[in-house]
Amino acid sequence: MSSAATTDAIWRPHVTVACVVSDGARFLMVEEEVNGRLAYNQPAGHLEDRERLVDAAARETLEETGWAVQPTHLIGVHQWRSTEHGEGVIRFSFAARPLAHDPARRLDAGIRRALWLSRAEIAALGERLRSPLVLESIDAWLAGARLPLDMLHWWPDGATP
């Protein structure tokens, strides 16, 4: 078997990042159109090639909400099979502190608006949540999950540690 055929046969999950951004008892959420339905999620998205996980989390939050944030902790790593597209997802959930908001910033395609909701309001959205990872991440944060960011290591361009 050629190396190209071997590489094509390797399963690759979607690597995503999300931010739990709190302001007291409220959490930053996005209302987005997904496959013709309205869904609610934390600011979240895919890791880009050559991008650090923590940078991806801050970038996605800015692009989807207009909020510049500073990730402070890793909440957890979640493995899930998406009911939306049926593929595997590895999601890195971060806690982040809001820094500044640009209300004039154009939001990513599909994002209707950013909003702040309480945990009870988020739970009440039920089936409209984009995934079960939304409440899982908030509940982990509320339970005190706070892993240091320095446990994540990055070696750009194949550099060695």
Side-chain angles (χ1 to χ4, degrees):
M1 183 181 290
S2 74
S3 64
T6 303
T7 301
D8 290 342
I10 296 172
W11 173 75
R12 291 178 182 85
H14 293 254
V15 177
T16 64
V17 295
C19 275
V20 173
V21 182
S22 69
D23 177 22
R26 299 178 314 150
F27 298 92
L28 183 59
M29 298 287 291
V30 296
E31 182 182 76
E32 58 187 334
E33 258 185 72
V34 180
N35 298 326
R37 73 178 183 99
L38 209 53
Y40 295 83
N41 197 5
Q42 277 109 8
H46 288 88
L47 177 69
E48 294 181 358
D49 188 26
R50 301 178 190 268
E51 184 177 37
R52 291 182 337 140
L53 289 161
V54 70
D55 294 338
R59 175 187 53 76
E60 285 290 349
T61 301
L62 180 62
E63 291 174 354
E64 292 190 352
T65 68
W67 277 93
V69 299
Q70 178 182 10
T72 58
H73 296 89
L74 176 66
I75 294 172
V77 180
H78 307 95
Q79 185 174 347
W80 179 65
R81 182 151 305 271
S82 172
T83 54
E84 188 178 297
H85 51 67
E87 296 183 32
V89 174
I90 305 291
R91 183 189 202 221
F92 292 80
S93 296
F94 292 89
R97 180 170 63 85
L99 299 175
H101 184 238
D102 177 0
R105 183 181 175 91
R106 185 182 189 130
L107 304 181
D108 271 359
I111 303 294
R112 288 251 181 112
R113 65 183 174 137
L115 61 163
W116 293 90
L117 299 172
S118 70
R119 195 247 180 242
E121 291 169 323
I122 295 166
L125 292 168
E127 294 293 317
R128 292 180 290 170
L129 293 178
R130 179 100 187 246
S131 82
L133 302 180
V134 174
L135 273 178
E136 173 66 27
S137 298
I138 290 171
D139 288 343
W141 185 86
L142 288 169
R146 310 276 195 287
L147 301 168
L149 293 177
D150 65 4
M151 70 179 295
L152 298 170
H153 304 281
W154 180 62
W155 292 278
D157 301 320
T160 57

